[in-house]
Amino acid sequence: MKPTYRRLVLSPEVRQAFFDRKGVVALESTVITHGLPFPDNLEIALALEEVVRENGAIPATIAVIDGLIHVGLDRTKLEQLATDKAAKKLSRRDLPLALSLRQTGGTTVAATMLIAEQAGIRVFATGGIGGVHRGAETSFDISADLEELGRSNVCVVSAGAKAVLDLPKTLEVLETKGVPVIGYQCDEFPAFYYRDSGLVNMARLDDVVDIANLLIHKWNLTRWPDSMRLEGGVLIANPIAKADEWARDEVEACITQALSEMTLSGKDVTPYLLKRLGELSNGQSRKSNMALIRQNAVLGAQIAQALAGRV
Ligand code: PSU
Ligand code: MN
């Protein structure tokens, strides 16, 4: 008897895209459940899907709904997720429990990466990855996103890492884990809300064809004899557009204040900081956040298409 394949529920659109060998772009959902407030979260979730389609690829928003892992969400499910105040934040460690208790939740970058890999999706667009938190030398707070980048074979497009983090330490860990950090048309590692962190990327690539080529040389996608056949992700750092930047001085002032007021720890840190920055900046952080995710979805679609033409 053939086993019933139920662990991943593919949307009809994503299933069709696999048949048609179209580029597919995974999208995360913690940004929907914990990153942005309603209705911004629903607006951006729908806009990202549209932007991916406009750029020739198919979007696959990944989330857990009533204990099932969905790869590709229809509008009804996106609305359910965007308005569910009880939705969990689900990282790698949380998935088995969420499935066993039939929970609903948004998947973090780490969880989305590992599910994307299981589904055979190679490209994933997000706002910003988690990383090493400021003060990690005492708190030990290092996002599981970095661990996952060292392990899952997925290309993650991100506006660098959130400015609330310790960016030099984040880059060090990525280096340790063997993750290529590639600036797309930029030399400096972007700091999410602003373009230039003062830190340099491992390398710069200006064309999505070159990015596809890198992926083919890292993973064994095409039985290409020159492929290194390495495990782990690739981080594409795509800086926010100049017009959408939030000025560095203001960002840093707000972060300092938000951090000094912070009393919680663990998985609540990132959602708290994003919410507090929204309040302290009168919505500027949300505006920048929404703009940069959209740009990342565009680039993700272009990379997915470039890769689909090769494999
Ligand atoms: N960046 C954002 N908004 C978010 C996140 C990142 O602009 O909501 C989420 C991502 O899902 C990321 C998670 O994976 O925060 C990282 O959480 P932590 O630092 O607890 O690992
Ligand atoms: Mn953490």
Side-chain angles (χ1 to χ4, degrees):
M1 207 176 70
K2 263 170 83 177
T4 327
Y5 195 69
R6 301 195 317 184
R7 197 176 63 251
L8 303 181
V9 182
L10 303 187
S11 70
E13 188 187 22
V14 169
R15 192 176 289 275
Q16 188 64 40
F18 287 153
F19 277 118
D20 297 343
R21 295 175 169 269
K22 272 198 168 171
V24 177
V25 179
L27 300 165
E28 60 142 317
S29 49
T30 294
V31 65
I32 303 174
T33 55
H34 292 76
L36 290 166
F38 182 81
D40 288 355
N41 58 353
L42 180 60
E43 189 191 308
I44 198 69
L46 293 168
L48 292 184
E49 298 222 330
E50 222 21 68
V51 142
V52 169
R53 290 189 194 102
E54 278 165 21
N55 284 274
I58 296 298
T61 305
I62 290 178
V64 176
I65 297 185
D66 301 326
L68 290 176
I69 296 176
H70 286 263
V71 179
L73 295 179
D74 60 21
R75 198 194 160 104
T76 313
K77 293 220 169 55
L78 281 174
E79 278 173 11
Q80 182 186 342
L81 204 63
T83 52
D84 185 347
K85 293 218 158 52
K88 308 275 186 229
K89 173 180 168 185
L90 304 173
S91 198
R92 169 182 272 266
R93 65 165 189 179
D94 306 296
L95 289 175
L97 188 72
L99 267 50
S100 69
L101 296 178
R102 302 211 177 283
Q103 289 173 342
T104 293
T107 48
T108 63
V109 168
T112 307
M113 277 186 84
L114 80 89
I115 294 166
E117 172 160 41
Q118 289 191 5
I121 301 173
R122 295 296 183 174
V123 182
F124 164 24
T126 181
I129 60 163
V132 181
H133 280 265
R134 299 187 189 187
E137 57 277 23
T138 51
S139 69
F140 275 47
D141 191 351
I142 301 175
S143 175
D145 293 355
L146 297 182
E147 206 63 46
E148 207 60 46
L149 277 160
R151 158 150 55 177
S152 284
N153 304 332
V154 175
C155 171
V156 181
V157 182
S158 156
K162 265 160 299 170
V164 299
L165 301 166
D166 186 322
L167 295 183
K169 289 194 184 73
T170 299
L171 286 175
E172 289 297 340
V173 172
L174 287 167
E175 181 182 343
T176 304
K177 296 196 174 294
V179 180
V181 177
I182 306 297
Y184 178 67
Q185 298 181 348
C186 67
D187 298 305
E188 280 190 37
F189 188 64
F192 199 71
Y193 301 116
Y194 54 92
R195 293 175 63 88
D196 295 330
S197 65
L199 303 159
V200 290
N201 296 310
M202 180 193 103
R204 165 185 177 140
L205 292 175
D206 291 339
D207 191 322
V208 292
V209 171
D210 295 327
I211 294 175
N213 223 343
L214 165 71
L215 301 180
I216 285 167
H217 280 80
K218 170 148 182 161
W219 305 319
N220 189 20
L221 294 177
T222 56
R223 297 173 188 274
W224 172 248
D226 284 350
S227 162
M228 286 301 296
R229 299 162 196 234
L230 296 177
E231 294 290 304
V234 171
L235 183 62
I236 306 297
N238 186 31
I240 187 170
K242 281 204 175 73
D244 300 312
E245 271 188 301
W246 177 21
R248 181 181 185 140
D249 296 350
E250 290 173 31
V251 176
E252 288 304 322
C254 287
I255 291 172
T256 308
Q257 183 172 342
L259 285 174
S260 72
E261 295 165 355
M262 188 169 78
T263 51
L264 37 74
S265 64
K267 71 181 195 335
D268 299 326
V269 167
T270 299
Y272 157 81
L273 286 172
L274 292 173
K275 180 159 173 280
R276 193 72 189 109
L277 289 184
E279 295 160 359
L280 292 171
S281 69
N282 280 322
Q284 175 63 48
S285 69
R286 278 203 295 281
K287 260 174 60 191
S288 296
N289 198 343
M290 287 166 78
L292 66 83
I293 309 184
R294 203 185 257 270
Q295 292 160 208
N296 293 345
V298 172
L299 180 57
Q302 292 167 348
I303 296 170
Q305 284 300 86
L307 196 61
R310 300 280 298 276
V311 298

